[in-house]
């Protein structure tokens, strides 16, 4: 069986010069004009006539008591369509809470154990 040796602390270094795979064209770099300015990367429209439209009515926010899970729910709804934009907790969590409430025995209730 071989003895355990310590790993090398530094990788071996090569002293041979590295040659590029593709030679760099020196003439292209020298031909570019030095006074050329770059175009702006981003433009921002700050005028009131910009294309962004603001909603006419703010979103409706309300706390609702869910009957099945007996939980308090925060909902944000769209005033024009009535669709729910955001809900906390999610519908899946409310269903899981309702299922857990239905399957969990009440305190003091006896559960029949079978083997």
């Amino acid at each position: 069986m071989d003895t355990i040796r310590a790993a090398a602390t530094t990788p071996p270094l090569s002293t041979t010069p590295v040659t590029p795979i593709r030679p760099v064209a020196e003439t292209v770099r020298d031909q570019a004009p030095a006074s050329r300015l770059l175009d702006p990367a981003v433009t921002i429209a700050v005028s009131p006539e910009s294309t962004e439209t603001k909603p006419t009515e703010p979103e409706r926010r309300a706390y609702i008591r869910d009957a099945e899970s007996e939980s308090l729910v925060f909902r944000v709804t769209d005033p024009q369509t009535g669709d729910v934009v955001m809900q906390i907790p999610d519908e899946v969590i409310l269903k899981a809470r309702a299922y857990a409430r239905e399957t969990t025995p009440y305190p003091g209730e006896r559960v029949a154990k079978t083997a």
Side-chain angles (χ1 to χ4, degrees), residues 25-97:
E26 296 293 329
T27 57
V28 174
R29 280 192 234 159
D30 295 338
Q31 292 176 357
S35 64
R36 182 177 164 199
L37 297 175
L38 296 175
D39 294 332
V42 178
T43 57
I44 300 174
V46 197
S47 65
E49 298 86 26
S50 65
T51 59
E52 295 181 25
T53 58
K54 295 183 180 179
T56 55
E57 290 183 50
E59 299 170 330
R60 294 186 184 141
R61 302 162 191 250
Y63 287 98
I64 301 169
R65 171 74 65 180
D66 184 46
E68 292 180 9
S69 65
E70 298 179 6
S71 299
L72 190 63
V73 179
F74 176 72
R75 283 188 185 161
V76 178
T77 56
D78 185 6
Q80 296 171 348
T81 61
D83 294 337
V84 176
V85 177
M86 182 182 72
Q87 176 175 317
I88 301 173
D90 198 24
E91 189 69 29
V92 175
I93 295 174
L94 293 175
K95 288 182 181 181
R97 287 180 184 173

